[in-house]
């Protein structure tokens, strides 16, 4: 195939309609037909990346192998496609403007007036085509963040308009995702918001090729005809996206609606084979027919917003299906846990996961929760800060170092069992300066970690500034908390565990980022298996 084809996904009427899920579902179907497909996200905020954003603002910050701090939609892309994403898959307005301003400072524009058109739009077009120019992909799907009509999205919409013209007919299409609301009083679905959204898009010079309509009720034939007529699309290109029980149903729903066939037809591409979704449907079968239920407490301080721990929740779904178990995740707000109520707060839970996070808020509650899990033989998994909490708890309550802490919480602690990394001590800027991306970890044989991974070297993704303080390692190991995973180059502790326990593992990395539908993460799979085994006892 000579030329990479492009699909642009825009949204209208309201945000949070699920552009990322539609993009990922289409990509999954195209991939299942034999097309090499990738997805990128263009975010219209001025932050350079989501790394410094509060999880309440933006949900979790997702990290790629090459160390990009990105939008959580990239997690959906990887979970659906089973293909790693990279720096090029997420672009923010902040990054675009930073790049253009740096070029202006270097004199690359030869004294010209730097403007949104053409300089910003050219930069956006260049970023959009970056993945297409590698020769690795047949189709690049680009999701435009925000809603059509937003001031922030205008440069992206203009860039798409220019690219559609430059690439020519059959090489790029626009999918517009809108809401068709149901008015209970009138007992009918209303198309007017969609008509206005398409009109707003057309005012920017872009005609939608395919309409995907989010709806709570099925679209009648008559309604599809009306939308096609007034939104200037073919009737076959009016695609219903009805609410689903799980996001993993959406590829099958889009297949039934013919989204992939319509897209391929408009891109002048052959349909090739019927999409092979056998493995995907096997996963769905296990997900929907669990043999038992377990309750896992997710102990964190951002639990009010589920998106804060999106990848962890999805990893539980993948690992639960692998074990034919429904994992019921129970949010436990660590700020409200203390020694007096910890038994009540954690009653009825079969296991605990202590979540990642930053800062001192809610730390004491996490320590109380870990102590309860360790002393009462409740399976425990600690991720990033969760591992560090396990180390602090062990130091205080087993080694007897009552003042033990992380220097993140208390710089004056007598026992800094968690300390800032040497290369982070002089860092003043916060953005993109942590230990990020995939790093090696060597695993000790005959350890719980080795039983989980069944190999001696792994690569896992990181996002942290603080680490286990190696000068205390001998004391910990003598008392029963062993370091079973170490970075081979730096000697940094990556995994800690307690052996004579149903399951007690803490990891400095983020295993949840690498869990996908077709490759559930082994750490989550074995954690769930240990919970089931412990519950049966």
């Amino acid at each position: 195939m000579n030329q990479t084809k492009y699909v642009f996904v825009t949204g209208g009427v309201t945000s949070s309609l699920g552009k990322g899920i539609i993009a990922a579902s289409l990509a999954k179907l195209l991939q299942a037909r034999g097309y090499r497909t990738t997805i990128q996200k263009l975010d219209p905020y001025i932050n350079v990346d989501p790394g410094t954003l509060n999880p309440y603002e933006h949900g979790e910050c997702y990290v790629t192998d090459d160390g990009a701090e990105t939008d959580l939609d990239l997690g959906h892309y990887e979970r659906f496609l089973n293909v790693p994403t990279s720096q090029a898959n997420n672009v923010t307005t902040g990054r675009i403007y930073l790049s253009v301003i740096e070029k202006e400072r270097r004199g690359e524009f030869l004294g010209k007036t730097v403007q949104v058109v053409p300089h910003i739009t050219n930069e956006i077009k260049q970023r959009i085509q970056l993945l297409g120019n590698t020769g690795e992909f047949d189709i690049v799907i680009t999701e435009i963040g925000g809603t059509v009509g937003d001031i922030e999205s205008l440069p992206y919409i203009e860039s798409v308009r220019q690219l559609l013209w430059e690439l020519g007919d059959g090489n790029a299409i626009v999918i517009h995702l809108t809401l068709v609301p149901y008015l209970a009083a009138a007992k009918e679905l209303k198309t007017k918001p969609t008509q206005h959204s398409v009109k707003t898009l057309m005012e920017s010079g872009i005609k939608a090729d395919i309409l995907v309509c989010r709806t709570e009720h099925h679209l009648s034939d008559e309604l599809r005809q009306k939308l096609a007529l007034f939104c200037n699309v073919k009737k076959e290109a009016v695609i219903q996206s009805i609410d689903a029980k799980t996001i993993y149903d959406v590829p099958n729903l889009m297949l039934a609606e013919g989204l992939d066939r319509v897209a391929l037809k408009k891109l002048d591409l052959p349909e090739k084979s019927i999409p092979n979704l056998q493995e995907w449907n096997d996963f769905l079968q296990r997900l929907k027919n669990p043999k038992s239920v377990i309750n896992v407490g997710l102990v964190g301080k951002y639990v009010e917003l589920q998106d804060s721990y999106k990848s962890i929740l999805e990893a539980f779904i993948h690992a639960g299906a692998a074990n034919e178990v429904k994992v019921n995740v129970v949010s436990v707000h660590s700020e409200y846990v203390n020694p007096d109520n910890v038994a009540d707060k954690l009653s009825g839970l079969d296991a605990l996961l202590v979540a990642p996070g930053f800062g001192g808020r809610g730390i004491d509650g996490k320590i109380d929760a870990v102590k309860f899990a360790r002393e009462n033989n409740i399976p425990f998994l600690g991720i990033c800060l969760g591992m560090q909490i396990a180390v602090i708890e062990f130091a205080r309550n087993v080694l007897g170092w009552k003042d033990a802490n992380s220097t993140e919480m208390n710089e004056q602690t007598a026992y800094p069992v968690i300390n800032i990394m040497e290369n982070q001590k002089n860092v003043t800027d916060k953005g993109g300066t942590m230990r990020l991306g995939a790093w090696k970890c060597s695993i000790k044989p005959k350890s719980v970690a080795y039983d989980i991974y069944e190999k001696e070297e792994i690569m896992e993704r990181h996002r942290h500034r603080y680490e286990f303080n190696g000068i205390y390692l001998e004391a910990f190991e003598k008392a029963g908390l062993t370091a079973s995973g170490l970075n081979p180059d730096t000697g940094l502790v990556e995994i800690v565990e307690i052996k004579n326990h149903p399951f007690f593992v803490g990891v400095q990395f983020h295993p949840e980022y690498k869990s996908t539908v077709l490759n559930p993460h082994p750490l989550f799979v074995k954690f769930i298996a240990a919970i089931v085994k412990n519950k049966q006892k």
Side-chain angles (χ1 to χ4, degrees):
M1 203 167 94
N2 300 327
Q3 186 173 359
T4 302
K5 306 275 187 169
Y6 293 87
V7 177
F8 299 104
V9 181
T10 60
V13 184
T14 175
S15 58
S16 303
L17 286 180
K19 289 192 298 292
I21 301 299
I22 292 297
S25 298
L26 175 59
K28 179 75 205 168
L29 295 176
L30 295 172
Q31 184 192 56
R33 284 186 184 272
Y35 286 101
R36 299 171 303 160
T37 312
T38 190
I39 321 173
Q40 63 181 174
K41 172 84 182 278
L42 305 184
D43 266 320
Y45 50 77
I46 297 174
N47 303 67
V48 173
D49 58 48
T52 52
L53 283 171
N54 188 309
Y56 289 129
E57 291 272 328
H58 196 261
E60 77 172 7
C61 173
Y62 187 79
V63 176
T64 60
D65 279 338
D66 64 352
E69 293 180 292
T70 72
D71 180 73
L72 60 80
D73 273 325
L74 268 72
H76 290 312
Y77 305 163
E78 289 201 13
R79 288 187 279 273
F80 275 58
L81 292 180
N82 211 28
V83 175
T85 53
S86 70
Q87 297 269 0
N89 291 77
N90 190 206
V91 180
T92 68
T93 295
R95 192 167 286 182
I96 296 289
Y97 273 84
L98 186 65
S99 174
V100 170
I101 288 166
E102 284 172 348
K103 286 177 182 176
E104 187 271 335
R105 294 286 82 188
R106 290 194 298 268
E108 288 187 26
F109 300 122
L110 303 174
K112 282 194 168 72
T113 305
V114 180
Q115 295 173 287
V116 173
V117 181
H119 302 98
I120 296 297
T121 50
N122 283 349
E123 185 77 20
I124 293 169
K125 287 190 290 183
Q126 188 188 333
R127 298 298 179 104
I128 288 171
Q129 292 177 286
L130 208 57
L131 288 164
N133 292 338
T134 61
E136 290 177 41
F137 303 106
D138 304 317
I139 301 166
V140 175
I141 300 175
T142 302
E143 178 194 344
I144 314 288
T147 308
V148 167
D150 294 348
I151 290 172
E152 310 93 86
S153 300
L154 287 175
Y156 289 119
I157 297 295
E158 171 58 18
S159 302
V160 170
R161 185 197 68 76
Q162 291 179 22
L163 267 179
L164 290 168
W165 183 81
E166 289 168 16
L167 293 166
D169 292 346
N171 291 318
I173 60 169
V174 174
I175 296 175
H176 191 53
L177 177 65
T178 74
L179 177 69
V180 180
Y182 180 77
L183 289 189
K187 291 190 172 57
E188 62 178 345
L189 291 162
K190 304 305 283 186
T191 64
K192 195 63 77 179
T194 295
Q195 292 177 48
H196 278 293
S197 184
V198 169
K199 182 184 170 199
T200 304
L201 192 62
M202 291 187 82
E203 284 168 358
S204 302
I206 296 176
K207 178 191 172 297
D209 296 286
I210 299 173
L211 270 187
V212 177
C213 304
R214 276 301 303 272
T215 175
E216 295 171 16
H217 300 269
H218 288 279
L219 301 181
S220 66
D221 212 46
E222 184 187 4
L223 212 89
R224 288 179 193 244
Q225 185 65 45
K226 183 179 178 182
L227 281 165
L229 178 64
F230 289 114
C231 297
N232 204 20
V233 296
K234 293 266 175 69
K235 189 183 165 194
E236 66 183 32
V238 177
I239 305 291
Q240 168 185 285
S241 175
I242 200 154
D243 291 357
K245 283 187 178 172
T246 163
I247 58 171
Y248 301 113
D249 278 331
V250 181
N252 281 315
L253 294 173
M254 291 303 102
L255 178 65
E257 283 286 309
L259 175 61
D260 54 327
R261 282 187 290 108
V262 176
L264 288 171
K265 186 177 174 184
K266 290 188 177 293
L267 289 168
D268 290 337
L269 291 172
E271 287 186 20
K272 290 190 178 182
S273 57
I274 295 167
N276 179 8
L277 295 175
Q278 182 64 49
E279 279 187 274
W280 187 272
N281 290 326
D282 289 346
F283 155 77
L284 274 174
Q285 180 69 17
R286 291 192 303 275
L287 177 66
K288 292 179 177 182
N289 299 285
K291 292 178 177 170
S292 59
V293 179
I294 56 171
N295 297 313
V296 180
L298 175 63
V299 184
K301 56 184 179 181
Y302 308 116
V303 292
E304 300 96 334
L305 185 69
Q306 291 287 290
D307 278 355
S308 304
Y309 305 114
K310 191 67 185 166
S311 293
I312 291 174
L313 297 176
E314 299 305 318
F316 272 134
I317 290 171
H318 309 153
N323 283 285
E324 296 184 89
V325 174
K326 176 173 170 39
V327 183
N328 184 28
V329 179
V330 180
S331 296
V332 180
H333 201 306
S334 60
E335 261 193 295
Y336 307 123
V337 176
N338 59 55
D340 298 328
N341 69 14
V342 64
D344 286 339
K345 290 278 186 189
L346 305 183
S347 68
L349 297 178
D350 302 309
L352 280 192
L353 184 146
V354 174
F358 294 90
R361 183 170 66 88
I363 291 301
D364 291 338
K366 288 186 176 183
I367 292 169
D368 294 330
V370 174
K371 180 174 189 268
F372 189 83
R374 181 178 57 77
E375 292 181 345
N376 292 281
N377 284 331
I378 296 169
F380 162 82
L381 175 60
I383 295 178
C384 198
L385 178 65
M387 173 200 128
Q388 297 174 3
I389 296 294
V391 170
I392 295 167
E393 188 280 323
F394 195 90
R396 289 184 185 180
N397 299 315
V398 178
L399 293 169
W401 303 342
K402 294 302 175 195
D403 182 43
N405 214 328
S406 164
T407 53
E408 182 182 7
M409 319 310 166
N410 177 11
E411 288 185 7
Q412 308 307 318
T413 174
Y415 294 97
V417 292
I418 304 294
N419 204 359
I420 194 159
M421 295 161 64
E422 274 303 316
N423 62 355
Q424 292 286 327
K425 284 185 176 172
N426 298 318
V427 171
T428 52
D429 289 352
K430 289 284 187 263
T433 53
M434 291 183 262
R435 177 145 81 107
L436 290 164
W439 294 72
K440 283 180 190 169
C441 172
S442 297
I443 295 178
K444 290 179 181 173
K446 297 179 181 171
S447 63
V448 175
Y450 187 83
D451 291 343
I452 290 166
Y453 283 97
E454 297 177 353
K455 49 187 173 184
E456 290 184 11
E457 187 159 287
I458 58 169
M459 292 280 282
E460 290 283 8
R461 298 179 192 179
H462 293 68
R463 183 175 182 253
H464 66 103
R465 281 198 173 82
Y466 293 80
E467 57 167 300
F468 186 105
N469 192 339
I471 65 171
Y472 297 110
L473 183 55
E474 196 179 336
F476 275 98
E477 298 213 306
K478 273 184 185 170
L481 184 77
T482 55
S484 54
L486 298 170
N487 182 289
D489 304 318
T490 61
L492 295 180
V493 174
E494 300 277 14
I495 307 173
V496 297
E497 60 182 60
I498 295 174
K499 271 202 171 152
N500 53 347
H501 193 280
F503 191 99
F504 194 100
V505 177
V507 294
Q508 185 57 73
F509 45 80
H510 289 260
E512 70 273 21
Y513 290 152
K514 289 183 77 170
S515 186
T516 70
V517 168
L518 301 186
N519 274 324
H521 197 285
L523 185 52
F524 279 87
V525 173
K526 294 289 172 71
F527 181 41
I528 301 298
I531 298 166
V532 173
K533 186 179 175 185
N534 192 56
K535 193 176 180 181
Q536 286 167 350
K537 276 185 184 175

